[in-house]
Amino acid sequence: MAVKKKYKLKTKALVTLLIVLGSFLILLAGIYMFMGSPIDANNSNDIEITIPSGTSVRGIGNILEKNDLIRNSSFFAIVVKLGKNNLKASTYTLNKTMSMQEIIKIMHEGNNYNPDSVRITFKEGKRLTDYAKLIANNTNSTYDDVIKVMNDKTYINELITKYWFLTTDILNTDIYYPLEGYLFPDTYEFKNKDVDIKEIITAMLDETNKKLEPYKSKISNSPHKYITMASIVELEGTNTENRKMIVGVFNNRIKLGMNLGSDVTTYYALQEPMTRDLTSDEFKTNNSYNTRSTTMMGKLPVGPICSPGISAIEASANPTNNDYLYFVADKNGKIYYTKTVAEHDKKVKEIKDAGDWIW
């Protein structure tokens, strides 16, 4: 009996040990997952760091922790040493969406840092003329050089044969800039300031091609129409949800032969910045971009009015069907939808009376 009791005690102790060990391993896994996870999965802003030659693993960890790219330099050093990773000195562009292992992998592989490289960030909702200024400010090309290339008909025709989403629609003589709306907004890096303008355009159009590929089956019958709509809701909306609603409203108005009545198209038609209220005469201007004009009943503008981001493209391709005909936004970006002009005018008055009008 004593032997049996002793055996039971040993078995119980072993089970307890296994439970404790298992719990410890689960705890370690949890710590590893947390410590190695991205600092901020929603913040993809570039952070440039330089690792000088001869910097220790702990020193690298300190630099990363100081830039809020990892949670703890000591834990980082342990993981690097256990993984036998050889981190290389260089300058890296990282961001907070990267996990610790992603950062280690990048630094283990190293890169060919070029101090002469040029990084240009093109933002959503900007016009081609804004992009031309950016290129001129960051390269050895002038603004006039950029505009000349982007309006070169021979070059534009070459691009039409190369990219499926560029159609002869962009050759319409009423269009101010053929490539307006088609240069995808993103951050691009080039070898140096002598970069050729066409190289920049190619990089941006290649990115557009990648971004539009998932929507190709839906928009290939009329990509110009979808990009034009996307460019409008890029400026009219603030997120994918309300942009989808706005596309639904615009589609309703087009079906009924109504003007879109989009103020942002008037600003573009006049090539005015959206920093002041337009006059009633300006809103009435007959122009193939101005959807407030009586000549534009049931029509989209002749072409895009800015470069839309992926949110606006998604909204244009997959709108939210609704039965609204009007919408208005207050200065805080909140959008109100109405079905009749009386309801719309009432809502506008309420916004103005509350001091929330955009101007």
Side-chain angles (χ1 to χ4, degrees):
M1 292 297 292
V3 173
K4 188 175 182 181
K5 184 175 182 181
K6 187 175 181 181
Y7 174 77
K8 285 183 177 180
L9 288 172
K10 286 183 177 180
T11 302
K12 187 175 181 181
L14 180 59
V15 170
T16 302
L17 178 62
L18 290 174
I19 291 173
V20 171
L21 182 60
S23 300
F24 179 69
L25 291 174
I26 291 172
L27 178 62
L28 282 180
I31 293 172
Y32 178 82
M33 288 178 65
F34 171 73
M35 296 297 285
S37 64
I39 295 293
D40 186 351
N42 297 313
N43 186 352
S44 59
N45 293 332
D46 289 341
I47 299 174
E48 188 176 277
I49 65 164
T50 298
I51 306 300
S53 180
T55 306
S56 66
V57 173
R58 179 61 66 85
I60 295 173
N62 289 336
I63 293 173
L64 293 171
E65 185 177 348
K66 183 179 179 181
N67 284 276
D68 201 22
L69 289 163
I70 61 171
R71 291 184 169 81
N72 185 275
S73 59
S74 298
F75 187 81
F76 172 83
I78 292 171
V79 172
V80 170
K81 290 178 179 178
L82 287 176
K84 297 181 180 180
N85 292 287
N86 180 27
L87 307 187
K88 297 177 177 62
S90 188
T91 293
Y92 298 93
T93 300
L94 309 172
N95 64 64
K96 296 181 182 181
T97 68
M98 295 177 177
S99 68
M100 187 172 64
Q101 282 293 355
E102 285 179 287
I103 293 173
I104 291 172
K105 183 176 185 293
I106 290 170
M107 300 181 81
H108 174 71
E109 294 175 349
N111 62 22
N112 297 315
Y113 175 60
N114 174 16
D116 296 322
S117 67
V118 174
R119 292 172 63 83
I120 310 176
T121 298
F122 300 90
K123 295 182 179 179
E124 298 93 339
K126 298 297 182 180
R127 300 173 184 172
L128 183 141
T129 50
D130 296 318
Y131 285 3
K133 290 173 185 175
L134 264 177
I135 293 171
N137 290 338
N138 288 277
T139 71
N140 290 327
S141 295
T142 67
Y143 174 84
D144 290 340
D145 290 336
V146 178
I147 294 298
K148 183 178 179 181
V149 171
M150 290 190 175
N151 281 344
D152 185 323
K153 289 186 178 180
T154 301
Y155 177 53
I156 296 301
N157 276 299
E158 290 174 4
L159 294 176
I160 290 174
T161 62
K162 182 178 179 181
Y163 296 97
W164 65 269
F165 52 86
L166 293 179
T167 66
T168 53
D169 290 319
I170 67 175
L171 298 177
N172 189 311
T173 55
D174 286 341
I175 286 180
Y176 296 161
Y177 304 101
L179 295 179
E180 185 77 83
Y182 291 97
L183 304 177
F184 195 79
D186 207 336
T187 297
Y188 299 86
E189 185 167 345
F190 305 100
K191 188 175 181 180
N192 54 48
K193 288 190 173 185
D194 290 326
V195 58
D196 187 78
I197 297 167
K198 290 184 179 180
E199 182 182 340
I200 297 174
I201 293 172
T202 297
M204 299 181 79
L205 289 176
D206 285 347
E207 191 62 25
T208 299
N209 189 43
K210 292 177 186 176
K211 293 297 190 294
L212 291 183
E213 190 63 32
Y215 304 97
K216 188 172 182 179
S217 61
K218 280 195 171 185
I219 74 173
S220 60
N221 62 318
S222 185
H224 191 67
K225 179 186 78 172
Y226 286 96
I227 297 300
T228 299
M229 179 68 84
S231 73
I232 301 173
V233 297
E234 174 66 49
L235 298 175
E236 292 281 13
T238 55
N239 57 50
T240 305
E241 181 181 354
N242 59 44
R243 286 183 176 120
K244 286 186 172 186
M245 282 290 292
I246 292 170
V247 175
V249 173
F250 283 152
N251 285 341
N252 292 339
R253 294 178 71 91
I254 290 173
K255 287 176 185 176
L256 293 175
M258 299 173 64
N259 289 83
L260 293 191
S262 172
D263 293 356
V264 296
T265 65
T266 313
Y267 281 100
Y268 186 84
L270 299 173
Q271 288 292 283
E272 286 283 339
M274 295 193 296
T275 54
R276 67 173 178 89
D277 209 350
L278 298 176
T279 66
S280 58
D281 285 339
E282 286 174 321
F283 278 125
K284 294 176 184 176
T285 302
N286 287 332
N287 184 292
S288 54
Y289 280 104
N290 181 20
T291 62
R292 292 286 296 267
S293 166
T294 55
T295 62
M296 293 293 289
M297 303 287 281
K299 297 178 182 178
L300 280 168
V302 67
I305 60 172
C306 71
S307 283
I310 197 65
S311 167
I313 292 170
E314 164 66 21
S316 180
N318 298 298
T320 298
N321 295 325
N322 57 67
D323 56 359
Y324 295 111
L325 291 175
Y326 304 88
F327 68 91
V328 62
D330 61 24
K331 67 180 182 182
N332 302 309
K334 184 176 180 180
I335 299 177
Y336 304 85
Y337 304 93
T338 48
K339 297 179 181 179
T340 68
V341 66
E343 292 175 346
H344 175 72
D345 291 343
K346 180 181 178 182
K347 181 56 66 177
V348 169
K349 184 177 184 303
E350 289 175 2
I351 294 172
K352 288 183 175 180
D353 289 345
D356 289 334
W357 191 242
I358 193 169
W359 300 111

